[in-house]
Amino acid sequence: MDTLLEAPSMAKRPRFLELSDSSGPSLHLSFEKLLDSRACDSDQNLLIDRALRLGSALLEAGKRSARKRASIHNSLTWALPPDLTIKVFSMLDTQSLCYTAATCSMFHKCAMDPLCYANIDLTTVVPKVNNAVVSTMIQRAGKVLQSLRLGIVPGPTLSPGSSQPLVYTIRNSVDAAGFSWNDKRSRQGKESSILSRSCLTALSGDSGAAGALLKRLHLYNIERMDNTALCAALSACPSLLDLEIVGLHVELRQTLMSVSTNCHLIERLFFESSKTGRDDSLKSPTCVDLVNNCPHLTSLALRGFKLHDYKVRILVKVFSCATRKD
């Protein structure tokens, strides 16, 4: 023990590695005797510090060796070549993919392929995804990103035709496990697991490469999302076919204007208001522009908006005429 803690280097293999698992008490007694042999507290503290650093170094060395051996074992026994492994990984949900990437270096390398992140689903029941996670996933996908789902969904994801509202107020919610927004906020001291208005900034990065081919964008109950941030994200998604917006504090008029300006290929638009109330900002020209600029639009749902009857009639009439033309 004395030689182990004091010698800076050893040419021979450490004998203590040959000790059995039941040698813990004897090691403890030996270390106590070694401490007692030191005359002053400073020497004893130095010895304890050396023991802790040595133990930490041994632990890390053991972990590295275990990961290396696991990677070698997997590379020899895993039946699929890398391209098929990537194909399999691309079928996993986002959370399972992250777990898979953490198993060994071989799986991690395959899981870092952009194709594995073509369909990103980071929806959760309670807040546990932040902007950094979203940005990392989008950057990994790059220009192959096809689908992106973010936010808080209350319970199992509902079918598009369901009449049950998806709007979810995070601050007043407690899930079955006793999770509370206010409790989490006070425990953490900072809102590290909350999506903010900049969570979609990565779509515009690298000259908009990530958003260029995005086909589906579903956003649920991101309370801090505003009109400016949403419109900036939509401007980076010219290939968008399916847009679902639920519980965001954004105006109907500005959202429809942004869709009609930037998303000419849109086929489905589902918009559920975060609060029930009359929206007087929507103008008739906005409805006309939406249908005229988005000729492929075949499904439109505006839930929770108390629109004036004449605006609804104009929207339905123009939408019906455009549908008959097809």
Side-chain angles (χ1 to χ4, degrees):
M1 175 68 73
D2 198 352
T3 304
L4 173 65
L5 294 176
E6 292 184 347
S9 62
M10 294 179 291
K12 297 182 179 180
R13 182 179 62 180
R15 295 291 302 275
F16 70 91
L17 291 178
E18 299 177 356
L19 297 175
S20 64
D21 294 340
S22 60
S23 303
S26 61
L27 283 175
H28 174 70
L29 292 176
S30 299
F31 186 67
E32 288 294 329
K33 291 180 180 179
L34 189 59
L35 285 177
D36 293 339
S37 66
R38 298 300 187 267
C40 59
D41 289 342
S42 60
D43 290 342
Q44 292 179 350
N45 291 335
L46 181 61
L47 193 62
I48 292 174
D49 181 64
R50 286 178 179 175
L52 291 174
R53 285 189 282 110
L54 178 61
S56 177
L58 285 172
L59 178 61
E60 290 302 317
K63 289 181 178 179
R64 285 195 297 269
S65 297
R67 289 194 295 267
K68 182 178 179 180
R69 288 173 59 84
S71 180
I72 295 174
H73 173 77
N74 288 343
S75 63
L76 294 176
T77 59
W78 185 249
L80 300 179
D83 56 338
L84 290 182
T85 301
I86 293 172
K87 180 66 175 179
V88 172
F89 286 0
S90 68
M91 300 177 184
L92 298 176
D93 61 86
T94 306
Q95 184 174 0
S96 298
L97 178 64
C98 293
Y99 288 148
T100 302
T103 56
C104 70
S105 58
M106 186 192 77
F107 280 5
H108 180 271
K109 182 178 180 180
C110 292
M112 290 301 103
D113 191 279
L115 292 176
C116 296
Y117 299 88
N119 299 288
I120 300 174
D121 187 349
L122 294 174
T123 54
T124 57
V125 178
V126 295
K128 58 181 180 180
V129 175
N130 58 22
N131 292 356
V133 173
V134 177
S135 178
T136 298
M137 296 296 174
I138 293 177
Q139 290 174 7
R140 288 179 181 177
K143 61 183 180 181
V144 303
L145 182 62
Q146 296 285 315
S147 173
L148 178 61
R149 303 178 74 246
L150 299 177
I152 309 300
V153 178
T157 303
L158 302 176
S159 60
S162 174
S163 60
Q164 182 177 346
L166 293 171
V167 173
Y168 178 73
T169 303
I170 304 176
R171 296 181 184 275
N172 298 325
S173 67
V174 178
D175 73 341
F179 176 91
S180 170
W181 165 279
N182 293 324
D183 290 344
K184 184 178 181 69
R185 185 175 181 178
S186 61
R187 286 197 307 269
Q188 291 185 339
K190 59 180 181 179
E191 300 171 17
S192 59
S193 298
I194 307 303
L195 294 174
S196 70
R197 63 186 304 274
S198 60
C199 64
L200 298 176
T201 303
L203 291 176
S204 305
D206 193 17
S207 301
L213 299 179
L214 183 65
K215 298 294 191 297
R216 182 173 67 168
L217 178 62
H218 290 186
L219 305 174
Y220 302 99
N221 303 296
I222 304 176
E223 292 193 345
R224 298 183 179 182
M225 180 69 68
D226 57 20
N227 289 292
T228 303
L230 178 61
C231 292
L234 293 178
S235 67
C237 305
S239 303
L240 200 62
L241 302 179
D242 183 355
L243 176 62
E244 187 163 316
I245 301 173
V246 175
L248 272 60
H249 299 301
V250 294
E251 293 183 1
L252 176 61
R253 181 180 65 87
Q254 291 194 27
T255 302
L256 295 185
M257 289 177 60
S258 182
V259 170
S260 63
T261 302
N262 302 294
C263 308
H264 302 303
L265 301 178
I266 191 79
E267 296 177 355
R268 175 181 177 268
L269 174 58
F270 181 96
F271 195 170
E272 183 171 344
S273 175
S274 60
K275 56 183 179 180
T276 302
R278 188 174 298 280
D279 191 333
D280 294 321
S281 65
L282 182 62
K283 306 299 181 183
S284 300
T286 303
C287 302
V288 176
D289 290 342
L290 174 68
V291 178
N292 290 339
N293 295 336
C294 303
H296 303 285
L297 186 63
T298 57
S299 176
L300 175 63
L302 303 177
R303 180 184 290 181
F305 295 98
K306 292 184 178 180
L307 303 177
H308 290 288
D309 290 345
Y310 78 92
K311 294 179 182 179
V312 175
R313 286 195 296 268
I314 293 175
L315 184 59
V316 172
K317 180 179 179 180
V318 177
F319 184 71
S320 299
C321 292
T323 304
R324 284 197 296 269
K325 290 179 181 179
D326 294 339

PDB file of all heavy atoms in Angstrom, residues 67 70-80 82 85 89 100-101 103-112:
ATOM      1  N   ARG A  67     -15.530  -0.436 -22.120  1.00  0.00           N
ATOM      2  CA  ARG A  67     -16.134   0.065 -23.361  1.00  0.00           C
ATOM      3  C   ARG A  67     -15.382  -0.446 -24.587  1.00  0.00           C
ATOM      4  O   ARG A  67     -15.993  -0.797 -25.601  1.00  0.00           O
ATOM      5  CB  ARG A  67     -16.157   1.596 -23.344  1.00  0.00           C
ATOM      6  CG  ARG A  67     -17.149   2.198 -22.363  1.00  0.00           C
ATOM      7  CD  ARG A  67     -17.362   3.672 -22.646  1.00  0.00           C
ATOM      8  NE  ARG A  67     -16.148   4.440 -22.433  1.00  0.00           N
ATOM      9  CZ  ARG A  67     -15.838   5.048 -21.290  1.00  0.00           C
ATOM     10  NH1 ARG A  67     -16.657   4.960 -20.248  1.00  0.00           N
ATOM     11  NH2 ARG A  67     -14.724   5.744 -21.167  1.00  0.00           N
ATOM     12  N   ALA A  70     -16.245  -4.074 -25.091  1.00  0.00           N
ATOM     13  CA  ALA A  70     -17.617  -4.217 -25.583  1.00  0.00           C
ATOM     14  C   ALA A  70     -17.708  -3.857 -27.056  1.00  0.00           C
ATOM     15  O   ALA A  70     -18.418  -4.507 -27.833  1.00  0.00           O
ATOM     16  CB  ALA A  70     -18.557  -3.333 -24.762  1.00  0.00           C
ATOM     17  N   SER A  71     -16.969  -2.812 -27.448  1.00  0.00           N
ATOM     18  CA  SER A  71     -16.990  -2.403 -28.849  1.00  0.00           C
ATOM     19  C   SER A  71     -16.382  -3.477 -29.747  1.00  0.00           C
ATOM     20  O   SER A  71     -16.911  -3.789 -30.820  1.00  0.00           O
ATOM     21  CB  SER A  71     -16.228  -1.085 -29.011  1.00  0.00           C
ATOM     22  OG  SER A  71     -16.225  -0.675 -30.355  1.00  0.00           O
ATOM     23  N   ILE A  72     -15.260  -4.054 -29.300  1.00  0.00           N
ATOM     24  CA  ILE A  72     -14.624  -5.119 -30.079  1.00  0.00           C
ATOM     25  C   ILE A  72     -15.549  -6.328 -30.173  1.00  0.00           C
ATOM     26  O   ILE A  72     -15.704  -6.939 -31.241  1.00  0.00           O
ATOM     27  CB  ILE A  72     -13.275  -5.506 -29.442  1.00  0.00           C
ATOM     28  CG1 ILE A  72     -12.291  -4.330 -29.529  1.00  0.00           C
ATOM     29  CG2 ILE A  72     -12.694  -6.740 -30.119  1.00  0.00           C
ATOM     30  CD1 ILE A  72     -10.983  -4.580 -28.808  1.00  0.00           C
ATOM     31  N   HIS A  73     -16.177  -6.654 -29.045  1.00  0.00           N
ATOM     32  CA  HIS A  73     -17.097  -7.798 -29.035  1.00  0.00           C
ATOM     33  C   HIS A  73     -18.263  -7.564 -29.989  1.00  0.00           C
ATOM     34  O   HIS A  73     -18.632  -8.452 -30.773  1.00  0.00           O
ATOM     35  CB  HIS A  73     -17.609  -8.028 -27.614  1.00  0.00           C
ATOM     36  CG  HIS A  73     -18.687  -9.065 -27.525  1.00  0.00           C
ATOM     37  ND1 HIS A  73     -18.428 -10.418 -27.595  1.00  0.00           N
ATOM     38  CD2 HIS A  73     -20.038  -8.944 -27.390  1.00  0.00           C
ATOM     39  CE1 HIS A  73     -19.561 -11.091 -27.504  1.00  0.00           C
ATOM     40  NE2 HIS A  73     -20.559 -10.221 -27.370  1.00  0.00           N
ATOM     41  N   ASN A  74     -18.845  -6.360 -29.943  1.00  0.00           N
ATOM     42  CA  ASN A  74     -19.991  -6.065 -30.810  1.00  0.00           C
ATOM     43  C   ASN A  74     -19.604  -6.083 -32.284  1.00  0.00           C
ATOM     44  O   ASN A  74     -20.366  -6.546 -33.135  1.00  0.00           O
ATOM     45  CB  ASN A  74     -20.586  -4.706 -30.448  1.00  0.00           C
ATOM     46  CG  ASN A  74     -21.329  -4.740 -29.131  1.00  0.00           C
ATOM     47  OD1 ASN A  74     -21.675  -5.804 -28.636  1.00  0.00           O
ATOM     48  ND2 ASN A  74     -21.561  -3.575 -28.549  1.00  0.00           N
ATOM     49  N   SER A  75     -18.412  -5.552 -32.580  1.00  0.00           N
ATOM     50  CA  SER A  75     -17.990  -5.524 -33.981  1.00  0.00           C
ATOM     51  C   SER A  75     -17.771  -6.924 -34.540  1.00  0.00           C
ATOM     52  O   SER A  75     -17.912  -7.150 -35.742  1.00  0.00           O
ATOM     53  CB  SER A  75     -16.702  -4.705 -34.117  1.00  0.00           C
ATOM     54  OG  SER A  75     -15.641  -5.313 -33.397  1.00  0.00           O
ATOM     55  N   LEU A  76     -17.437  -7.867 -33.656  1.00  0.00           N
ATOM     56  CA  LEU A  76     -17.206  -9.245 -34.101  1.00  0.00           C
ATOM     57  C   LEU A  76     -18.494 -10.057 -34.153  1.00  0.00           C
ATOM     58  O   LEU A  76     -18.642 -10.955 -34.992  1.00  0.00           O
ATOM     59  CB  LEU A  76     -16.200  -9.937 -33.172  1.00  0.00           C
ATOM     60  CG  LEU A  76     -14.773  -9.370 -33.181  1.00  0.00           C
ATOM     61  CD1 LEU A  76     -13.916 -10.082 -32.139  1.00  0.00           C
ATOM     62  CD2 LEU A  76     -14.145  -9.497 -34.563  1.00  0.00           C
ATOM     63  N   THR A  77     -19.422  -9.756 -33.250  1.00  0.00           N
ATOM     64  CA  THR A  77     -20.635 -10.574 -33.152  1.00  0.00           C
ATOM     65  C   THR A  77     -21.848  -9.945 -33.822  1.00  0.00           C
ATOM     66  O   THR A  77     -22.815 -10.649 -34.115  1.00  0.00           O
ATOM     67  CB  THR A  77     -20.972 -10.839 -31.673  1.00  0.00           C
ATOM     68  OG1 THR A  77     -21.171  -9.588 -30.998  1.00  0.00           O
ATOM     69  CG2 THR A  77     -19.851 -11.606 -30.996  1.00  0.00           C
ATOM     70  N   TRP A  78     -21.822  -8.617 -34.053  1.00  0.00           N
ATOM     71  CA  TRP A  78     -22.959  -7.946 -34.681  1.00  0.00           C
ATOM     72  C   TRP A  78     -23.064  -8.391 -36.135  1.00  0.00           C
ATOM     73  O   TRP A  78     -22.118  -8.258 -36.911  1.00  0.00           O
ATOM     74  CB  TRP A  78     -22.786  -6.434 -34.588  1.00  0.00           C
ATOM     75  CG  TRP A  78     -23.951  -5.647 -35.107  1.00  0.00           C
ATOM     76  CD1 TRP A  78     -23.987  -4.880 -36.225  1.00  0.00           C
ATOM     77  CD2 TRP A  78     -25.251  -5.534 -34.515  1.00  0.00           C
ATOM     78  NE1 TRP A  78     -25.208  -4.295 -36.383  1.00  0.00           N
ATOM     79  CE2 TRP A  78     -26.019  -4.688 -35.347  1.00  0.00           C
ATOM     80  CE3 TRP A  78     -25.847  -6.073 -33.377  1.00  0.00           C
ATOM     81  CZ2 TRP A  78     -27.346  -4.362 -35.066  1.00  0.00           C
ATOM     82  CZ3 TRP A  78     -27.163  -5.747 -33.095  1.00  0.00           C
ATOM     83  CH2 TRP A  78     -27.890  -4.906 -33.932  1.00  0.00           C
ATOM     84  N   ALA A  79     -24.214  -8.908 -36.494  1.00  0.00           N
ATOM     85  CA  ALA A  79     -24.350  -9.564 -37.801  1.00  0.00           C
ATOM     86  C   ALA A  79     -24.488  -8.588 -38.963  1.00  0.00           C
ATOM     87  O   ALA A  79     -24.195  -8.940 -40.105  1.00  0.00           O
ATOM     88  CB  ALA A  79     -25.562 -10.501 -37.774  1.00  0.00           C
ATOM     89  N   LEU A  80     -24.928  -7.360 -38.702  1.00  0.00           N
ATOM     90  CA  LEU A  80     -25.232  -6.436 -39.794  1.00  0.00           C
ATOM     91  C   LEU A  80     -24.041  -5.550 -40.133  1.00  0.00           C
ATOM     92  O   LEU A  80     -23.318  -5.102 -39.238  1.00  0.00           O
ATOM     93  CB  LEU A  80     -26.422  -5.554 -39.416  1.00  0.00           C
ATOM     94  CG  LEU A  80     -27.738  -6.272 -39.122  1.00  0.00           C
ATOM     95  CD1 LEU A  80     -28.808  -5.262 -38.750  1.00  0.00           C
ATOM     96  CD2 LEU A  80     -28.183  -7.105 -40.311  1.00  0.00           C
ATOM     97  N   PRO A  82     -22.357  -1.897 -41.395  1.00  0.00           N
ATOM     98  CA  PRO A  82     -22.697  -0.543 -40.937  1.00  0.00           C
ATOM     99  C   PRO A  82     -23.882   0.084 -41.661  1.00  0.00           C
ATOM    100  O   PRO A  82     -24.713   0.745 -41.031  1.00  0.00           O
ATOM    101  CB  PRO A  82     -21.406   0.243 -41.194  1.00  0.00           C
ATOM    102  CG  PRO A  82     -20.325  -0.781 -41.109  1.00  0.00           C
ATOM    103  CD  PRO A  82     -20.912  -2.030 -41.687  1.00  0.00           C
ATOM    104  N   THR A  85     -27.006  -1.388 -40.330  1.00  0.00           N
ATOM    105  CA  THR A  85     -27.161  -0.963 -38.934  1.00  0.00           C
ATOM    106  C   THR A  85     -27.742   0.443 -38.872  1.00  0.00           C
ATOM    107  O   THR A  85     -28.644   0.729 -38.077  1.00  0.00           O
ATOM    108  CB  THR A  85     -25.802  -1.002 -38.210  1.00  0.00           C
ATOM    109  OG1 THR A  85     -25.279  -2.328 -38.253  1.00  0.00           O
ATOM    110  CG2 THR A  85     -25.954  -0.578 -36.764  1.00  0.00           C
ATOM    111  N   PHE A  89     -31.212   1.663 -37.177  1.00  0.00           N
ATOM    112  CA  PHE A  89     -31.227   2.746 -36.197  1.00  0.00           C
ATOM    113  C   PHE A  89     -32.153   3.883 -36.635  1.00  0.00           C
ATOM    114  O   PHE A  89     -32.752   4.562 -35.803  1.00  0.00           O
ATOM    115  CB  PHE A  89     -29.816   3.283 -35.978  1.00  0.00           C
ATOM    116  CG  PHE A  89     -28.936   2.376 -35.163  1.00  0.00           C
ATOM    117  CD1 PHE A  89     -29.417   1.166 -34.675  1.00  0.00           C
ATOM    118  CD2 PHE A  89     -27.622   2.718 -34.886  1.00  0.00           C
ATOM    119  CE1 PHE A  89     -28.610   0.322 -33.921  1.00  0.00           C
ATOM    120  CE2 PHE A  89     -26.808   1.887 -34.129  1.00  0.00           C
ATOM    121  CZ  PHE A  89     -27.302   0.683 -33.649  1.00  0.00           C
ATOM    122  N   THR A 100     -29.225   3.863 -27.603  1.00  0.00           N
ATOM    123  CA  THR A 100     -28.405   2.958 -28.403  1.00  0.00           C
ATOM    124  C   THR A 100     -27.014   3.535 -28.629  1.00  0.00           C
ATOM    125  O   THR A 100     -26.009   2.821 -28.554  1.00  0.00           O
ATOM    126  CB  THR A 100     -29.085   2.698 -29.759  1.00  0.00           C
ATOM    127  OG1 THR A 100     -30.380   2.142 -29.547  1.00  0.00           O
ATOM    128  CG2 THR A 100     -28.260   1.749 -30.604  1.00  0.00           C
ATOM    129  N   ALA A 101     -26.943   4.831 -28.891  1.00  0.00           N
ATOM    130  CA  ALA A 101     -25.655   5.472 -29.155  1.00  0.00           C
ATOM    131  C   ALA A 101     -24.728   5.418 -27.949  1.00  0.00           C
ATOM    132  O   ALA A 101     -23.505   5.517 -28.096  1.00  0.00           O
ATOM    133  CB  ALA A 101     -25.872   6.921 -29.575  1.00  0.00           C
ATOM    134  N   THR A 103     -24.334   2.852 -25.905  1.00  0.00           N
ATOM    135  CA  THR A 103     -23.953   1.497 -25.507  1.00  0.00           C
ATOM    136  C   THR A 103     -22.489   1.187 -25.790  1.00  0.00           C
ATOM    137  O   THR A 103     -21.795   0.623 -24.945  1.00  0.00           O
ATOM    138  CB  THR A 103     -24.841   0.460 -26.214  1.00  0.00           C
ATOM    139  OG1 THR A 103     -24.760   0.660 -27.638  1.00  0.00           O
ATOM    140  CG2 THR A 103     -26.283   0.600 -25.775  1.00  0.00           C
ATOM    141  N   CYS A 104     -22.006   1.532 -26.968  1.00  0.00           N
ATOM    142  CA  CYS A 104     -20.608   1.253 -27.308  1.00  0.00           C
ATOM    143  C   CYS A 104     -20.189   2.171 -28.450  1.00  0.00           C
ATOM    144  O   CYS A 104     -21.030   2.808 -29.097  1.00  0.00           O
ATOM    145  CB  CYS A 104     -20.406  -0.211 -27.696  1.00  0.00           C
ATOM    146  SG  CYS A 104     -21.154  -0.680 -29.269  1.00  0.00           S
ATOM    147  N   SER A 105     -18.889   2.225 -28.700  1.00  0.00           N
ATOM    148  CA  SER A 105     -18.372   3.153 -29.707  1.00  0.00           C
ATOM    149  C   SER A 105     -18.828   2.779 -31.112  1.00  0.00           C
ATOM    150  O   SER A 105     -19.047   3.652 -31.961  1.00  0.00           O
ATOM    151  CB  SER A 105     -16.840   3.197 -29.645  1.00  0.00           C
ATOM    152  OG  SER A 105     -16.292   1.910 -29.850  1.00  0.00           O
ATOM    153  N   MET A 106     -18.997   1.483 -31.387  1.00  0.00           N
ATOM    154  CA  MET A 106     -19.446   1.076 -32.715  1.00  0.00           C
ATOM    155  C   MET A 106     -20.876   1.552 -32.976  1.00  0.00           C
ATOM    156  O   MET A 106     -21.177   2.122 -34.028  1.00  0.00           O
ATOM    157  CB  MET A 106     -19.378  -0.446 -32.864  1.00  0.00           C
ATOM    158  CG  MET A 106     -19.691  -0.930 -34.282  1.00  0.00           C
ATOM    159  SD  MET A 106     -19.959  -2.699 -34.393  1.00  0.00           S
ATOM    160  CE  MET A 106     -21.617  -2.843 -33.735  1.00  0.00           C
ATOM    161  N   PHE A 107     -21.761   1.332 -32.002  1.00  0.00           N
ATOM    162  CA  PHE A 107     -23.134   1.792 -32.152  1.00  0.00           C
ATOM    163  C   PHE A 107     -23.195   3.318 -32.175  1.00  0.00           C
ATOM    164  O   PHE A 107     -24.013   3.909 -32.876  1.00  0.00           O
ATOM    165  CB  PHE A 107     -23.991   1.253 -31.010  1.00  0.00           C
ATOM    166  CG  PHE A 107     -24.430  -0.175 -31.207  1.00  0.00           C
ATOM    167  CD1 PHE A 107     -23.985  -0.915 -32.291  1.00  0.00           C
ATOM    168  CD2 PHE A 107     -25.290  -0.780 -30.304  1.00  0.00           C
ATOM    169  CE1 PHE A 107     -24.383  -2.228 -32.476  1.00  0.00           C
ATOM    170  CE2 PHE A 107     -25.702  -2.091 -30.483  1.00  0.00           C
ATOM    171  CZ  PHE A 107     -25.250  -2.819 -31.561  1.00  0.00           C
ATOM    172  N   HIS A 108     -22.332   3.954 -31.400  1.00  0.00           N
ATOM    173  CA  HIS A 108     -22.312   5.418 -31.375  1.00  0.00           C
ATOM    174  C   HIS A 108     -21.951   5.977 -32.742  1.00  0.00           C
ATOM    175  O   HIS A 108     -22.553   6.946 -33.218  1.00  0.00           O
ATOM    176  CB  HIS A 108     -21.310   5.904 -30.326  1.00  0.00           C
ATOM    177  CG  HIS A 108     -21.223   7.399 -30.215  1.00  0.00           C
ATOM    178  ND1 HIS A 108     -20.359   8.154 -30.984  1.00  0.00           N
ATOM    179  CD2 HIS A 108     -21.911   8.282 -29.440  1.00  0.00           C
ATOM    180  CE1 HIS A 108     -20.497   9.423 -30.687  1.00  0.00           C
ATOM    181  NE2 HIS A 108     -21.433   9.534 -29.753  1.00  0.00           N
ATOM    182  N   LYS A 109     -20.969   5.358 -33.385  1.00  0.00           N
ATOM    183  CA  LYS A 109     -20.559   5.819 -34.714  1.00  0.00           C
ATOM    184  C   LYS A 109     -21.694   5.671 -35.720  1.00  0.00           C
ATOM    185  O   LYS A 109     -21.950   6.583 -36.516  1.00  0.00           O
ATOM    186  CB  LYS A 109     -19.331   5.030 -35.170  1.00  0.00           C
ATOM    187  CG  LYS A 109     -18.786   5.471 -36.519  1.00  0.00           C
ATOM    188  CD  LYS A 109     -17.541   4.682 -36.890  1.00  0.00           C
ATOM    189  CE  LYS A 109     -16.990   5.129 -38.238  1.00  0.00           C
ATOM    190  NZ  LYS A 109     -15.764   4.366 -38.601  1.00  0.00           N
ATOM    191  N   CYS A 110     -22.392   4.543 -35.674  1.00  0.00           N
ATOM    192  CA  CYS A 110     -23.520   4.340 -36.595  1.00  0.00           C
ATOM    193  C   CYS A 110     -24.672   5.286 -36.274  1.00  0.00           C
ATOM    194  O   CYS A 110     -25.334   5.809 -37.179  1.00  0.00           O
ATOM    195  CB  CYS A 110     -24.000   2.893 -36.524  1.00  0.00           C
ATOM    196  SG  CYS A 110     -22.827   1.670 -37.171  1.00  0.00           S
ATOM    197  N   ALA A 111     -24.908   5.521 -34.982  1.00  0.00           N
ATOM    198  CA  ALA A 111     -26.028   6.368 -34.571  1.00  0.00           C
ATOM    199  C   ALA A 111     -25.794   7.843 -34.866  1.00  0.00           C
ATOM    200  O   ALA A 111     -26.731   8.638 -34.785  1.00  0.00           O
ATOM    201  CB  ALA A 111     -26.305   6.187 -33.076  1.00  0.00           C
ATOM    202  N   MET A 112     -24.566   8.224 -35.196  1.00  0.00           N
ATOM    203  CA  MET A 112     -24.286   9.612 -35.538  1.00  0.00           C
ATOM    204  C   MET A 112     -24.540   9.915 -37.013  1.00  0.00           C
ATOM    205  O   MET A 112     -24.392  11.058 -37.446  1.00  0.00           O
ATOM    206  CB  MET A 112     -22.829   9.954 -35.200  1.00  0.00           C
ATOM    207  CG  MET A 112     -22.530  10.027 -33.711  1.00  0.00           C
ATOM    208  SD  MET A 112     -23.532  11.260 -32.824  1.00  0.00           S
ATOM    209  CE  MET A 112     -24.730  10.187 -32.021  1.00  0.00           C
TER     210      MET A 112
END
